[in-house]
Amino acid sequence: MASATGSQARKRFRHRLRSRIVIAFVVFGTLLTTAFALATLYLRDRLENELIIENLQAEVDSFVDFKRANPEPDAQFGFERFRAAIYGAHRFANIPLEWQDLDTGVHDLTESAADGRTSHYKLAVRNDDDIRAFLRYDVTQEEIGKRQMIGALAVALAVFTAVALLVGLWSSRRVMKPVTELARRVEDFVGQADP
């Protein structure tokens, strides 16, 4: 009776030990994957913002230099993904209200369209005494890409957590096999020693 109770206690101990090994693998795998996902998102966002800000400021400066060299109204400056506006000192009152108090630099702004959708854009501003230039870059597509990346990273997190669970189960069996064999031998030895 006592040996049966002791055997059950040892089985419960081995089961708890095996569960702890599995849980440790799952927690470690999940934490590692989460840290990687967060680092990826942070680096992407930081690099993207730095590139956009640097390019926007360079473009608005080029735009001002071009307009100074070519003041005629029909002079065209080529942009692909940007919208530009330039105002002479006599037209400062025509600057959109939300842009009027902005300093030179790149600003994050949002705008609601007539259909209710909100768009996020970055606005590069150059303020000189005689001229104010604005270069708008819509970052809505980048935000959609970021949401898609978050979705992909969430799927990767689930997959790597499942892999960590499987590796944990496999490892716990491998680790517990010698422990179980040792426990069986000890029980046999103790059983033989008892009269």
Side-chain angles (χ1 to χ4, degrees):
M1 181 74 176
S3 69
T5 305
S7 176
Q8 287 178 345
R10 285 187 290 278
K11 281 184 181 179
R12 280 196 305 271
F13 173 76
R14 286 193 300 268
H15 181 71
R16 282 196 309 262
L17 183 59
R18 184 174 180 198
S19 297
R20 287 178 183 161
I21 292 170
V22 171
I23 289 169
F25 266 91
V26 170
V27 168
F28 179 72
T30 302
L31 290 176
L32 192 61
T33 306
T34 301
F36 176 75
L38 291 174
T40 301
L41 286 173
Y42 171 76
L43 289 174
R44 178 189 186 271
D45 194 44
R46 181 173 174 187
L47 292 173
E48 186 176 86
N49 275 336
E50 286 177 7
L51 286 172
I52 289 172
I53 287 170
E54 183 179 304
N55 286 329
L56 275 176
Q57 194 62 54
E59 287 292 330
V60 80
D61 291 341
S62 297
F63 181 47
V64 168
D65 294 341
F66 174 82
K67 283 314 259 182
R68 284 190 194 283
N70 303 284
E72 55 277 352
D74 58 344
Q76 297 294 318
F77 186 78
F79 292 113
E80 289 183 23
R81 297 182 69 185
F82 304 109
R83 281 194 329 184
I86 195 160
Y87 300 90
H90 63 285
R91 295 187 57 222
F92 282 178
N94 294 342
I95 297 172
L97 205 55
E98 62 273 10
W99 296 359
Q100 286 184 359
D101 295 328
L102 297 175
D103 293 327
T104 296
V106 179
H107 305 273
D108 282 314
L109 300 170
T110 55
E111 170 179 86
S112 294
D115 61 1
R117 288 188 297 175
T118 301
S119 65
H120 180 211
Y121 64 96
K122 293 192 181 286
L123 184 71
V125 179
R126 164 113 176 242
N127 291 329
D128 290 344
D129 291 335
D130 61 332
I131 200 167
R132 293 189 71 191
F134 301 91
L135 189 59
R136 177 186 165 142
Y137 178 69
D138 192 337
V139 293
T140 305
Q141 284 303 116
E142 282 78 4
E143 289 179 345
I144 290 170
K146 185 177 180 179
R147 284 194 294 271
Q148 290 171 341
M149 187 175 193
I150 288 171
L153 288 172
V155 169
L157 177 62
V159 167
F160 282 110
T161 300
V163 168
L165 175 65
L166 294 174
V167 169
L169 288 169
W170 177 80
S171 296
S172 69
R173 281 192 206 114
R174 300 272 300 176
V175 167
M176 291 308 297
K177 189 173 182 180
V179 172
T180 303
E181 179 63 25
L182 180 62
R184 187 190 59 77
R185 287 183 182 182
V186 167
E187 284 177 8
D188 289 347
F189 180 76
V190 169
Q192 290 174 0
D194 288 338

